[in-house]
């Protein structure tokens, strides 16, 4: 009883979102002040035919994705917090129903009747629509690369034909004209003074 008092309280606000035909995401909150080292989720059909437990430690995650669900099926889940001294009491039961599987996006999940398969450890397969998109993108890239190589060869051939040496036209040298300017010489006339002698 003393150890039970140290166990964490049950998770609150348990909700289910991102519903699909074969998967759903469970999220929850934990009260503050308690050391939580993991979680445990119990999942079962509403009819009670299958029971699955998902347990994960050394994590602070507050959500978990449930895989390998059946379409249009009612499920019941409960979440428990894992503390240092044990697990909490189970949360309130949450009911949800998966969606109808779309013909356009079929699910490739297997082992739906195997209760030991954990959704967290299973890798999802690529769906048919995603594969078609990837193939189309690869084909388009191949066409672009081929077109680029072809255009590059054409440009290279044109450049080699245009690089022939052409005779350069001889340019006439224009010699600067030098105009010789004549010097104007000024004539200086020396005036001889005339002396008139008057005899008295």
């Amino acid at each position: 009883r003393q150890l039970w008092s140290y166990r964490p309280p049950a998770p609150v606000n348990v909700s289910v979102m991102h519903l699909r035909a074969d998967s759903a995401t469970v999220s929850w909150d934990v009260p503050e002040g308690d050391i939580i080292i993991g979680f445990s989720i119990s999942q079962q059909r509403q009819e009670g035919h299958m029971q699955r437990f998902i347990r994960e430690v050394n994590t602070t995650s507050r959500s978990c994705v449930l895989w390998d669900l059946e379409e249009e099926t009612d499920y019941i889940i409960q979440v428990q917090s894992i503390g240092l001294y044990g697990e909490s009491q189970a949360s309130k039961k949450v009911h949800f129903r998966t969606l109808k599987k779309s013909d356009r996006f079929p699910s490739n999940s297997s082992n739906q009747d195997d209760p030991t398969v954990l959704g967290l450890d299973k890798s999802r397969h690529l769906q048919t629509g995603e594969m078609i998109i990837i193939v189309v993108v690869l084909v388009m890239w191949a066409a672009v690369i081929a077109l680029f190589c072809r255009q590059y060869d054409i440009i290279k051939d044109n450049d080699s034909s245009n690089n022939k040496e052409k005779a350069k036209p001889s340019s006439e040298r224009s010699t600067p004209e030098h105009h010789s300017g004549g010097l104007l010489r000024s004539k200086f006339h020396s005036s001889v003074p005339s002396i008139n002698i008057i005899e008295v």
Side-chain angles (χ1 to χ4, degrees), residues 83-121:
L84 296 176
Y85 300 100
E87 297 181 356
S88 69
Q89 292 183 349
S91 65
K92 295 181 180 180
K93 294 182 179 181
V94 176
H95 300 256
F96 69 92
R97 182 179 178 85
T98 54
L99 303 179
K100 185 177 180 179
K101 186 183 301 182
S102 174
D103 296 333
R104 187 175 180 180
F105 297 98
S107 172
N108 293 329
S109 60
S110 59
N111 298 329
Q112 293 185 356
D113 296 329
D114 186 4
T116 61
V117 176
L118 299 182
L120 293 175
D121 298 332

Side-chain angles (χ1 to χ4, degrees), residues 156-176:
K156 188 176 180 181
D157 293 339
N158 290 336
D159 289 341
S160 61
S161 62
N162 290 333
N163 285 336
K164 294 180 180 179
E165 294 184 356
K166 297 180 180 180
K168 296 182 180 180
S170 58
S171 59
E172 296 180 358
R173 291 185 178 180
S174 59
T175 56

Side-chain angles (χ1 to χ4, degrees), residues 52-67:
R52 176 184 296 179
F53 292 96
I54 299 175
R55 181 185 176 93
E56 187 171 343
V57 294
N58 297 328
T59 179
T60 58
S61 177
R62 299 292 181 265
S63 64
C64 177
V65 180
L66 306 177
W67 298 109

